[in-house]
Amino acid sequence: MELALILTVIVVALSFDYTNGFHDAANAIATSVSTRALTPRAALLMAASMNLIGAFLGTGVAQTVGSGIIEAPEGDSGLLVVLAALVGAIVWNLITWWFGLPSSSSHALIGGLVGAAIASANTVKWTGILDKVVIPMVVSPIVGFALAFLVMTAIQWIFRRSNPGRVNRGFRLAQTFSAAAMALGHGLQDAQKTMGVITLALVVGGYQAGFDVQWWVIVLAATALAAGTYAGGWRIMRTLGRRIVHLDPPMGFAAESVAAGVLYTTAFAYHAPISTTQTITSAVIGVGSTKRLSAVRWGVAGNIVTAWVLTIPMAGLAAALSYGLLHLMPGLSSL
């Protein structure tokens, strides 16, 4: 039973990683596609490749997710907690994908862990959540917005006397690199979250001691995320690339560069599992605000923020319900 549960958790974790990829593909490439710097298929191939590379660049975020959100539950019943957390995160990812809302897969997973832990009467590390999740969740969009606004203002001032057509062509080329940097940051951040959950399951099942991520876990998580990214997330891509604000190449470059910088800083310096979705969305709003406030479709932005606020509690609720339903299944009711 324990081995079967471990394998089930790993398969479901990789399924979550895949949904993370197609749900968050827009994070890396929506701005480049909307400004026609890259074709959709070329952008997806580039993003998938950079996701794959980024996943191998660190495991600090994975250790935070694996050991810093909840106390590792024990035995087969503990594996049900991890499984329910993943199911809750997948359910919320699919709901927000269906409505084209760029919510956070990272926070869906964290909400799932918290909800499943509460439903099973396991310990939630509230201090860790405050330090590594809530504070970065509030601060990173503010930083992304402010830096993007400043960078875009500087670009406008530097190129104020340049030929607009030539400037757009130059930044369209530059966006190839900024989009790649953003995709690398997405792989660095988001693949690690799945690594952390698989590692947690291995610890709970007694298959390893400590939360160091094994090499095969990195390979599987990186591959699943890259495959999901290549599958694309067209609904969310339209929202992020066109519906919030109409972007030109300099704006796309500024938004992607700032978002990538925030992702690298939080991953390497703080090991904080921040949302790539929130980071790039806030940067897009920041560059859009340099035109005029009315250039941003604040109604769409408001719907996105609402999804951000609801993600952790709703994914937690879905995970708690999943935990209850799993206990009704034959063979699991006694756990």
Side-chain angles (χ1 to χ4, degrees):
M1 173 66 75
E2 187 171 84
L3 179 58
L5 279 174
I6 284 281
L7 293 175
T8 301
V9 168
I10 292 174
V11 170
V12 175
L14 294 175
S15 299
F16 165 78
D17 207 18
Y18 184 85
T19 67
N20 187 344
F22 77 70
H23 188 278
D24 289 3
N27 293 345
I29 64 175
T31 53
S32 297
V33 172
S34 69
T35 62
R36 299 179 182 177
L38 295 169
T39 64
R41 190 54 59 187
L44 285 170
L45 181 59
M46 179 276 295
S49 301
M50 299 307 289
N51 276 183
L52 188 66
I53 296 169
F56 288 90
L57 298 183
T59 58
V61 173
Q63 293 185 25
T64 295
V65 172
S67 62
I69 307 301
I70 64 174
E71 288 286 353
E74 297 180 355
D76 290 351
S77 61
L79 291 173
L80 280 188
V81 173
V82 182
L83 182 58
L86 288 164
V87 172
I90 291 172
V91 167
W92 184 247
N93 264 1
L94 292 176
I95 290 172
T96 51
W97 167 79
W98 178 257
F99 288 103
L101 292 174
S103 68
S104 169
S105 297
S106 308
H107 293 155
L109 180 57
I110 290 165
L113 287 169
V114 171
I118 292 174
S120 60
N122 277 285
T123 302
V124 178
K125 296 182 177 180
W126 295 110
T127 301
I129 291 175
L130 176 64
D131 292 342
K132 295 291 187 179
V133 179
V134 175
I135 292 176
M137 180 175 67
V138 174
V139 172
S140 59
I142 295 173
V143 172
F145 175 90
L147 286 179
F149 184 91
L150 292 174
V151 169
M152 191 61 217
T153 301
I155 289 174
Q156 290 172 338
W157 187 84
I158 293 169
F159 294 98
R160 66 191 184 280
R161 294 189 178 91
S162 302
N163 179 278
R166 186 176 299 171
V167 169
N168 281 338
R169 286 193 296 273
F171 276 103
R172 194 170 281 121
L173 177 61
Q175 266 198 278
T176 304
F177 299 98
S178 61
M182 180 67 203
L184 190 74
H186 179 222
L188 172 65
Q189 272 279 348
D190 283 38
Q192 288 195 55
K193 291 145 192 172
T194 300
M195 297 176 204
V197 173
I198 294 176
T199 300
L200 174 62
L202 293 173
V203 170
V204 170
Y207 284 84
Q208 78 173 64
F211 288 89
D212 291 334
V213 182
Q214 298 187 48
W215 68 269
W216 61 268
V217 175
I218 297 174
V219 172
L220 288 178
T223 304
L225 182 69
T229 297
Y230 189 69
W234 304 105
R235 291 173 183 268
I236 296 172
M237 199 178 300
R238 285 193 295 269
T239 298
L240 194 55
R242 298 176 185 174
R243 290 181 58 200
I244 298 175
V245 63
H246 179 73
L247 297 172
D248 58 27
M251 294 168 70
F253 173 81
E256 290 167 344
S257 300
V258 166
V262 173
L263 291 176
Y264 297 153
T265 301
T266 51
F268 289 124
Y270 302 107
H271 299 166
I274 70 163
S275 166
T276 55
T277 306
Q278 290 182 4
T279 305
I280 186 60
T281 304
S282 60
V284 167
I285 295 173
V287 298
S289 298
T290 61
K291 282 187 171 181
R292 59 187 185 281
L293 290 178
S294 60
V296 177
R297 296 182 176 92
W298 293 104
V300 176
N303 291 337
I304 293 170
V305 172
T306 300
W308 291 355
V309 173
L310 290 176
T311 290
I312 289 179
M314 293 306 293
L317 177 61
L321 292 174
S322 299
Y323 182 78
L325 291 173
L326 286 171
H327 273 280
L328 299 177
M329 295 177 64
L332 300 179
S333 57
S334 60
L335 297 180

